[in-house]
Amino acid sequence: MPGTLPVIGDVWPLLRDPIGFLADLPRHGDLARLRLGPMSVSVVCTPDLAQQVLRDDRTFDKGGPFFDRMRDLLGEAVATCPHSRHRRLRRLVQPAFRDEQLRRYRPVMRAEAERLTDSWSDGQRIDVMAATMAYTTRVALRTLFSVSLTEERLTAAVSDIETWVAGVPLQMLLPPGAGRLPLPANRHYRDAIAGLRATIASAVEERRGRPLDAEEPDLLASMIITQDSADRSGRLSDTELIDHAATFLAAGTETSATALAWMFHLLALHPQVQCDLRTELAGQERRAADRPGHDDGSLCHRVVLEALRLHAPAWLLTRTVTEHTILDGIPFEEGAVVAYSPYPLHRDAAYFPDPRAFRPDRWTDRTPEPGTFLTFGGGPRSCVGHRFAMLELTAALRAVVAAWELQPLDAGPPRPRLGATLAPRGLRLRVRAHT
Ligand code: HEM
């Protein structure tokens, strides 16, 4: 690692104020070097450098401590595999996210959003992350896996995902080998991984027992069909199948639940935006957009984008350098760890004026400059579930504001909890029936 970069920070300031710490990184240069426990990470802080890293996924391959921990649960599936295996796996899962599939998922998302809000009563205090996790997990299991949802399966999946997500930062920061020591934190982490894989194995088993509709297969069915196909080049082993299914459950539940929770928090602080959303909903003949998850010019879409800008769930995504390269004029050798984070860019006034303010209208007729909006990553490894997530978030937003008014309960903003995502710790809100 070159010695020319300022060495800043350590674990403590990151734990104390993760958002402030990450947003402040550009003050230390376009490429800020962090020392986090045993590792040294260089974080790109300009749109150009972010694009250089994200577009060249051969030189900046999946790796580094974040993805090492992801592999504990997910093996080498589409989100965690090296560049050499990625294109084949991405092609395999991509059909589950096409427009026609998203149109099929939409009624399920609406029904689940209504189910969530129908369970509330006037004046109730809501544990927001618990509510949003139940919603996104139900949606993922019903749309992508089409499996039956017993309360037992749901509770087990939510609890295991939460334990795993909460354990990731500690596992990232432990010195090599320490994750295998017989400590309670390590045991909880390993048990959660085993539990989640067992839940998924039972879902796979159940799905195999039902007809696999080859015309419109869900994600799990298309993977099973590939597994069973005569074309052995695309064949997946049982372990790979579980790795992929676990990837979608892990990548697609806590991320969306975190985004929703922050969005509800922001709305509770902005009652006028809730009113404007209600006016928009009342005025609109609920016409489903032709291209699900794309910008339909609505305030609803802008609110979701603005919440995703201020509170991007994925906060630090690492890469391993695979061969000698130059980044920002500085040489990097094989094995060096580089990372990107949405926060240094999303909270920079140069790209988003008045960056700390919640202003959904900043998105009116605006596409962000390349490399400035990184909530869903970028380049060949960008989020394959991006539009699925947009659809899921707007469905929940519409169902909530149509029937309820969100009110803050606690003084001051919630503190972010540093896990695999930055979720609002202990966030509670009051819901008032909207008449
Ligand atoms: C608000 C919700 C979401 C956020 C913020 C989010 C964020 C991200 C980010 C930042 C990446 C790129 C990671 C990197 O560069 O290393 C990513 C990749 C991925 N996401 Fe999402 N995601 C969300 C929802 C979803 C959903 C709903 C699914 C699936 C149903 C999903 C599946 C994936 C997969 C499979 C990848 C790996 C793609 C690849 O490497 O080809 N995500 N996500």
Side-chain angles (χ1 to χ4, degrees):
M1 183 70 60
T4 49
L5 291 168
V7 175
I8 55 159
D10 56 22
V11 178
W12 175 237
L14 177 66
L15 287 175
R16 208 183 43 200
D17 175 15
I19 294 182
F21 178 80
L22 294 166
D24 233 24
L25 289 178
R27 285 204 304 122
H28 302 276
D30 291 351
L31 200 53
R33 196 168 72 178
L34 309 185
R35 282 207 185 280
L36 299 176
M39 64 179 160
S40 176
V41 183
S42 299
V43 186
V44 290
C45 294
T46 70
D48 286 349
L49 291 177
Q51 288 201 88
Q52 190 181 335
V53 168
L54 287 170
R55 285 183 178 161
D56 183 0
D57 63 329
R58 185 192 296 269
T59 308
F60 301 99
D61 205 352
K62 283 279 171 122
F66 180 77
F67 286 103
D68 291 346
R69 295 293 67 83
M70 294 296 120
R71 285 180 189 130
D72 292 344
L73 171 67
L74 313 173
E76 289 208 341
V78 64
T80 42
C81 68
H83 166 83
S84 55
R85 298 185 58 217
H86 177 249
R87 299 303 188 267
R88 175 181 84 88
L89 294 175
R90 178 96 179 193
R91 270 198 302 280
L92 178 70
V93 300
Q94 198 94 40
F97 299 96
R98 290 206 186 111
D99 284 354
E100 60 270 27
Q101 284 296 97
L102 294 177
R103 278 190 209 102
R104 291 180 60 224
Y105 303 151
R106 192 157 41 194
V108 179
M109 292 172 178
R110 278 192 196 141
E112 286 299 339
E114 274 157 26
R115 178 191 168 106
L116 168 77
T117 59
D118 285 353
S119 68
W120 295 346
S121 56
D122 191 21
Q124 191 181 336
R125 292 157 173 244
I126 305 293
D127 173 343
V128 183
M129 270 308 284
T132 57
M133 265 304 277
Y135 166 67
T136 58
T137 310
R138 295 185 75 91
V139 167
L141 288 173
R142 283 191 58 195
T143 54
L144 300 172
F145 293 12
S146 308
V147 290
S148 58
L149 256 181
T150 56
E151 280 313 306
E152 201 185 358
R153 183 177 265 163
L154 182 73
T155 313
V158 168
S159 144
D160 287 336
I161 292 170
E162 282 175 342
T163 308
W164 171 69
V165 162
V168 166
L170 175 67
Q171 298 292 326
M172 267 169 69
L173 298 173
L174 286 174
R180 283 190 289 279
L181 293 175
L183 304 170
N186 289 339
R187 206 183 55 246
H188 292 318
Y189 181 75
R190 303 278 153 201
D191 287 353
I193 290 174
L196 204 52
R197 292 186 69 90
T199 301
I200 290 162
S202 84
V204 170
E205 202 51 39
E206 181 197 319
R207 195 68 187 86
R208 275 190 201 284
R210 292 211 322 273
L212 301 169
D213 183 349
E215 291 294 305
E216 292 179 329
D218 55 63
L219 178 72
L220 190 52
S222 30
M223 291 193 295
I224 295 172
I225 291 166
T226 309
Q227 190 185 35
D228 294 343
S229 77
D231 170 14
R232 301 189 72 82
S233 65
R235 212 179 138 74
L236 295 173
S237 69
D238 278 356
T239 307
E240 281 180 313
L241 188 63
I242 293 177
D243 289 346
H244 284 293
T247 295
F248 284 91
L249 208 53
T253 52
E254 168 90 12
T255 44
S256 297
T258 296
L260 260 183
W262 282 113
M263 185 168 72
F264 292 156
H265 160 69
L266 291 165
L267 284 174
L269 298 181
H270 294 86
Q272 186 55 47
V273 178
Q274 296 189 55
C275 281
D276 295 346
L277 280 166
R278 244 170 250 127
T279 309
E280 178 176 272
L281 282 180
Q284 262 177 13
E285 188 51 35
R286 275 284 292 279
R287 196 170 50 81
D290 289 343
R291 304 216 55 206
H294 282 273
D295 186 357
D296 56 2
S298 65
L299 174 60
C300 189
H301 191 88
R302 295 198 292 278
V303 165
V304 172
L305 281 181
E306 183 66 343
L308 289 171
R309 178 187 71 83
L310 275 171
H311 287 286
W315 54 277
L316 192 73
L317 289 310
T318 55
R319 297 288 190 270
T320 298
V321 173
T322 55
E323 58 185 11
H324 168 86
T325 188
I326 307 280
L327 193 58
D328 198 29
I330 294 165
F332 282 81
E333 303 308 327
E334 184 184 341
V337 180
V338 170
Y340 74 93
S341 165
Y343 287 89
L345 293 142
H346 291 191
R347 288 178 176 243
D348 188 330
Y351 315 117
F352 299 97
D354 195 6
R356 282 161 196 261
F358 176 64
R359 284 181 23 204
D361 284 341
R362 72 171 79 240
W363 294 98
T364 308
D365 298 327
R366 176 181 176 198
T367 313
E369 298 296 314
T372 58
F373 183 68
L374 298 178
T375 295
F376 293 107
R381 306 302 293 251
S382 67
C383 180
V384 74
H386 166 185
R387 289 193 300 112
F388 180 103
M390 292 302 290
L391 208 57
E392 184 180 34
L393 299 180
T394 47
L397 175 60
R398 289 201 166 105
V400 168
V401 295
W404 300 97
E405 195 182 317
L406 299 169
Q407 298 179 343
L409 261 176
D410 304 313
R415 278 165 49 85
R417 186 207 61 204
L418 196 75
T421 64
L422 273 186
R425 186 196 300 267
L427 174 64
R428 297 168 316 145
L429 294 174
R430 190 184 299 286
V431 290
R432 288 275 174 216
H434 175 68
T435 45

